[in-house]
Amino acid sequence: MKIGIDRMAFATTDQYIELTELAEKRGVDPNKYTIGIGQDRQAVVPPTQDIVTLGARAAKKLLTPDVTRRLSTIIVATESGIDNSKASAIYIKHLLGLDDYIRAVELKEACYSGTAAIQFARGLVALNSQETVLVIAADIARYGLNTPGEVTQGAGAVAMLISADPHVLAIEPTSVSYSRDLMDFWRPLYATEAIVDGKYSTGVYVDFFKNTLTRYLQRTGRRLDDFAGIAFHLPFTKMGKKGLEGVLQDRDDAVANRLRDQLTASQVYCRQVGNLYTGSLYLGLMSLLQNGQVKPGDRLGLFSYGSGAEGEFYSGIVQPAFAENLSDVKEDLADRHRVSIDEYEQLFNSQLGMQTADVQFDLQNDDAPFVLAGQKDHQRIYQRR
Ligand code: HMG
């Protein structure tokens, strides 16, 4: 039985900044951001948006009466949780008006947990092929104003249906996961911004890619030639390049250049949004499917990485109706509006964060279908439009 990704949809916020403007404000050469890091724009998060509103917005695009009837489980993969106890999946299920006879949980291991969620969902579908599992990878990447990580922030959600006879990608049986106890990036319970050993983290990422890919190739007997393309976790687009070149080294043949071209296609959306943490690999996959040279029957590799650290390399076969089962990311990105760096800084500093008092946000400037209206008696208040 084929099991895999049946449909995919993306959502981000309605605001962005131009990174050349951020460079000017920070006194940095704009080429450092656009070439050295490889990012052009970054999603800006108003206080009225969080992983629940973004996750619900992405998932809503996938729901039809038939899908809703088959849904058995919602798994939200995130490292931007809004509660230390209650799962964001419960809030999202409520906002979407889904049946109460649905299992709803949250999963965490930095940027890797979206992949864990897909693998767990595969297991559920293997037990009962009539079930569909909704996986939502939603995050807000925050490092802080005027930090080295600032240029690699971002936000958004990718929602995916995992089912039998999938329309987008049939996942192949062999996957290699690899985990080690490392401190390259983490966020203590009392912090709203990540702590990161940036340069060290980029080295660990490359090592984990080499380790997981090498073992995958040993186990399957496949070679790089067998992949039409590889989608990477993209904390920023240059990171995917570092990973791929770490394996290709000086190769300049047709296979190596095809993988380089496909990498460029997979980076198109990340360049405009930034890091989605758990969703980044899957936005990269959507970008590859919508902008690359991909046809049904092609094998794609997927490299997932989460700090702390855990990596996984796996593969899937592109399905005939893949193009019609992806949401229109280009349209979403074109519909956003630019904000100034001053406005971005003001929005950055007005998040709910660790506040304990009651708060009521002004909702006038947010037209999103789901909003965080505020907090009352230590409870988050959401609204569906
Ligand atoms: P930095 O201090 O800006 O680094 O930090 P830099 O000074 O080395 O510059 C970066 C690049 O720009 C370099 O290129 C420079 O040469 C180049 P590279 O040598 O790396 O190829 N550069 C220029 N290029 C053109 N024109 C210029 C110019 N000047 C310099 N004028 C860093 C960069 C990525 C470390 C920082 O932004 C950071 O800490 N980011 C956050 C951490 C991160 O994203 N790590 C990635 C791997 S870990 C991961 O993926 C997991 C993660 O998603 C979290 C999770 O799992 O939950 C982060």
Side-chain angles (χ1 to χ4, degrees):
M1 177 174 57
K2 283 188 199 171
I3 303 175
I5 304 175
D6 186 49
R7 294 184 69 200
M8 303 179 83
F10 166 71
T12 184
T13 61
D14 293 326
Q15 299 87 352
Y16 70 88
I17 48 168
E18 286 291 353
L19 290 180
T20 48
E21 290 182 17
L22 182 68
E24 196 183 332
K25 181 87 187 269
R26 301 289 179 251
V28 171
D29 178 354
N31 287 340
K32 174 170 180 184
Y33 288 178
T34 57
I35 301 169
I37 298 287
Q39 293 300 119
D40 292 335
R41 291 178 173 175
Q42 185 175 105
V44 170
V45 187
T48 43
Q49 294 294 310
D50 65 11
I51 55 141
V52 167
T53 59
L54 292 169
R57 189 173 186 172
K60 187 168 183 262
K61 301 179 190 187
L62 301 176
L63 299 180
T64 62
D66 185 47
V67 167
T68 307
R69 197 171 39 78
R70 287 165 170 265
L71 266 192
S72 69
T73 304
I74 304 177
I75 309 176
V76 174
T78 189
E79 57 178 295
S80 320
I82 47 118
D83 192 289
N84 286 327
S85 175
K86 181 170 170 175
S88 49
I90 303 249
Y91 291 93
I92 292 178
K93 184 183 79 73
H94 175 72
L95 283 175
L96 294 173
L98 293 170
D99 198 271
D100 285 345
Y101 288 96
I102 289 180
R103 189 185 288 120
V105 289
E106 188 173 301
L107 212 58
K108 178 170 68 186
E109 173 17 52
C111 302
Y112 166 73
S113 66
T115 300
I118 289 175
Q119 297 294 12
F120 298 165
R122 275 180 70 206
L124 290 170
V125 176
L127 288 172
N128 181 351
S129 62
Q130 299 306 305
E131 290 187 10
T132 295
V133 178
L134 171 60
V135 169
I136 302 171
D139 268 302
I140 295 174
R142 266 174 79 89
Y143 291 93
L145 303 178
N146 221 339
T147 61
E150 182 180 32
V151 66
T152 66
Q153 295 177 146
V158 177
M160 295 170 271
L161 297 177
I162 307 301
S163 73
D165 301 321
H167 287 100
V168 176
L169 194 75
I171 296 174
E172 295 190 292
T174 305
S175 69
V176 175
S177 22
Y178 180 78
S179 58
R180 288 180 58 201
D181 184 4
L182 302 176
M183 296 306 280
D184 60 330
F185 166 110
W186 67 101
R187 184 164 64 86
L189 285 176
Y190 51 79
T192 53
E193 280 89 48
I195 300 174
V196 60
D197 189 343
K199 299 267 164 59
Y200 174 56
S201 74
T202 61
V204 175
Y205 175 113
V206 174
D207 286 348
F208 274 45
F209 175 54
K210 286 185 189 163
N211 289 350
T212 53
L213 174 68
T214 303
R215 183 159 295 205
Y216 172 95
L217 296 178
Q218 282 165 353
R219 278 197 192 157
T220 56
R222 294 185 185 126
R223 300 182 308 159
L224 283 181
D225 315 27
D226 294 312
F227 295 99
I230 298 175
F232 288 82
H233 165 56
L234 294 174
F236 51 97
T237 67
K238 180 74 151 306
M239 193 66 245
K241 183 174 156 70
K242 284 178 191 281
L244 184 61
E245 295 302 335
V247 164
L248 295 180
Q249 303 282 345
D250 297 331
R251 274 182 72 167
D252 193 22
D253 52 281
V255 171
N257 289 328
R258 180 182 74 224
L259 294 177
R260 289 187 177 106
D261 289 347
Q262 298 283 57
L263 174 67
T264 304
S266 75
Q267 293 166 326
V268 172
Y269 300 149
C270 174
R271 265 193 174 273
Q272 304 292 313
V273 182
N275 195 353
L276 306 191
Y277 288 161
T278 49
S280 282
L281 165 61
Y282 298 98
L283 183 61
L285 174 62
M286 291 180 84
S287 187
L288 175 56
L289 291 167
Q290 292 186 326
N291 302 298
Q293 299 297 317
V294 180
K295 55 180 193 324
D298 279 348
R299 172 176 291 111
L300 300 181
L302 293 93
F303 174 60
S304 184
Y305 177 76
S307 289
E310 184 143 359
E312 181 161 332
F313 188 89
Y314 70 107
S315 59
I317 304 294
V318 177
Q319 298 300 296
F322 76 92
E324 302 96 84
N325 286 285
L326 305 172
S327 72
D328 190 342
V329 180
K330 279 188 191 128
E331 188 178 67
D332 286 345
L333 297 182
D335 281 351
R336 301 182 298 171
H337 67 271
R338 187 177 63 78
V339 294
S340 69
I341 303 304
D342 285 348
E343 285 171 286
Y344 145 71
E345 290 182 343
Q346 191 264 324
L347 291 169
F348 190 95
N349 287 326
S350 44
Q351 303 291 313
L352 191 54
M354 301 283 177
Q355 287 179 71
T356 53
D358 288 356
V359 176
Q360 220 177 343
F361 290 128
D362 179 1
L363 300 176
Q364 269 180 29
N365 295 323
D366 194 340
D367 296 331
F370 303 101
V371 287
L372 173 65
Q375 172 171 274
K376 189 162 174 14
D377 299 332
H378 305 280
Q379 298 175 27
R380 287 192 173 223
I381 313 295
Y382 291 100
Q383 278 182 21
R384 176 175 42 195
R385 262 76 180 268

